[in-house]
Amino acid sequence: MAGPAFRAAAVRVRVPATSANLGPGFDAFGLALGLYDDVVVRVADSGLTVDIAGEGAENLARDERHLVVRSMRAAFDRLGGQPRGLEVVCANRIPHGRGLGSSSAAICAGIVAARAVTIGGASALGDDALLALASELEGHPDNVAACLRGNFTVAWTEDGGARTVTLDPSDRVVPVVFIPSTEVLTEAARGLLPKTVPLADAALNAGRAALLVEALTRRPELLLAATEDRLHQDYRASAMPDSAALVAALRSEGVPAVISGAGPTVLALTDEASAVKVLNFAGAQFAAHRLELDRTGATVLPLDM
Ligand code: HSE
């Protein structure tokens, strides 16, 4: 059987950074942030070229091992066949190993680009299949759901596939990220988690996670209580002591703060009136940035943007 046909024109895909967990929503909640990687892909006659600028340019593989390329290959397999050649250009702005979803961004960029350069790709690999594939490649659905759909996502796995609902975070929420210079690998941070947790801790997290849906969408004044977590942050604190201390300092001042994903970035969910004061918590170990909420998720853009 003949494989798929491909577009001759290049496509540009923009994918947002994401913050997973948001405190109590371990492996379920994700928030898309206005910090983006761009990937430009063109189907070529032969071979593979990978250019990288920005984050990871010094150490990422420029061959089949690159995560964008591996993700494209997986998507092309689902779409019915590989192109003869590929040119991939990555402009990376999401820092790596910091809990801001850089690997999910690479995966989502790759599969969205593969679909976009394949004629009939959108019907062959629909949005639900795209999410399921991204989650399979990433190993958990929380970051990829927010990266693909934008906004605030609640993801879960059912019948072996990832699913998500997308909610609109309140316009009053202003995200501030505190990014340290050191990396923490997600695998290492997951290795610190216990196999079982006390029932009281599980119960607290379930209640706070439910509350966070209301707080983040409609009542940000409840965010401090709603972002409390007992399932993962304390267990991981030894791998990111400065981040754990910053979360504690912010929370003691009434600022809703959490470890972003598997860390070590700290995410504060603040508001317009407090954002400047919150940025001043950064100290020497962290680069603090006020970000926008991303409302669109992974997007195929015209090439001149
Ligand atoms: N939910 C995942 C974790 C996010 O906390 O391990 C990793 O990016």
Side-chain angles (χ1 to χ4, degrees):
M1 198 180 94
F6 300 101
R7 295 181 206 289
V11 299
R12 177 192 295 268
V13 176
R14 177 163 290 176
V15 282
T18 49
S19 184
N21 302 332
L22 308 178
F26 179 72
D27 275 0
F29 288 172
L31 186 67
L33 301 169
L35 173 68
Y36 300 93
D37 284 352
D38 281 1
V39 175
V40 176
V41 171
R42 194 175 78 84
V43 169
D45 290 336
S46 63
L48 168 69
T49 60
V50 180
D51 284 337
I52 306 167
E55 298 288 335
E58 271 145 41
N59 50 24
L60 290 179
R62 286 165 165 74
D63 55 26
E64 293 288 345
R65 290 170 296 169
H66 191 283
L67 187 52
V68 171
V69 178
R70 283 192 278 136
S71 306
M72 293 189 78
R73 296 297 187 199
F76 283 131
D77 281 345
R78 304 281 169 103
L79 287 159
Q82 301 289 331
R84 288 202 304 278
L86 276 176
E87 294 170 3
V88 180
V89 180
C90 302
N92 293 343
R93 301 180 195 88
I94 305 170
H96 293 180
R98 305 304 208 293
L100 286 168
S102 63
S103 62
S104 288
I107 289 167
C108 293
I111 63 177
V112 170
R115 184 170 80 163
V117 296
T118 304
I119 292 171
S123 48
L125 193 63
D127 288 347
D128 291 347
L130 204 71
L131 172 65
L133 175 59
S135 178
E136 195 181 308
L137 294 170
E138 176 71 329
H140 46 88
D142 45 0
N143 290 98
V144 292
C147 186
L148 289 172
R149 304 285 166 86
N151 290 296
F152 166 36
T153 48
V154 182
W156 72 101
T157 302
E158 190 177 326
D159 299 329
R163 314 235 355 234
T164 190
V165 290
T166 307
L167 303 164
D168 283 336
S170 165
D171 286 335
R172 285 181 285 149
V173 173
V174 175
V176 172
V177 289
F178 299 86
I179 307 174
S181 56
T182 50
E183 296 185 22
V184 171
L185 294 178
T186 297
E187 297 76 18
R190 292 182 86 83
L192 293 170
L193 300 177
K195 293 265 182 292
T196 59
V197 295
L199 178 64
D201 290 350
L204 181 137
N205 265 60
R208 300 305 167 100
L211 183 62
L212 185 51
V213 171
E214 173 73 2
L216 192 51
T217 56
R218 297 201 307 190
R219 296 175 65 187
E221 62 275 15
L222 296 173
L223 277 169
L224 183 62
T227 48
E228 193 173 348
D229 160 70
R230 299 266 177 85
L231 291 190
H232 63 102
Q233 293 183 162
D234 287 349
Y235 295 109
R236 290 168 158 175
S238 61
M240 51 196 96
D242 292 339
S243 303
L246 179 57
V247 168
L250 284 160
R251 294 187 69 84
S252 72
E253 292 293 318
V255 180
V258 296
I259 297 293
S260 180
T265 290
V266 171
L267 170 73
L269 296 169
T270 183
D271 56 35
E272 195 62 52
S274 313
V276 172
K277 187 187 87 182
V278 169
L279 283 162
N280 285 333
F281 274 81
Q285 294 101 324
F286 296 90
H289 303 279
R290 175 190 165 146
L291 298 176
E292 302 295 322
L293 296 164
D294 172 79
R295 301 283 185 179
T296 53
T299 313
V300 180
L301 294 172
L303 261 185
D304 55 357
M305 277 187 75

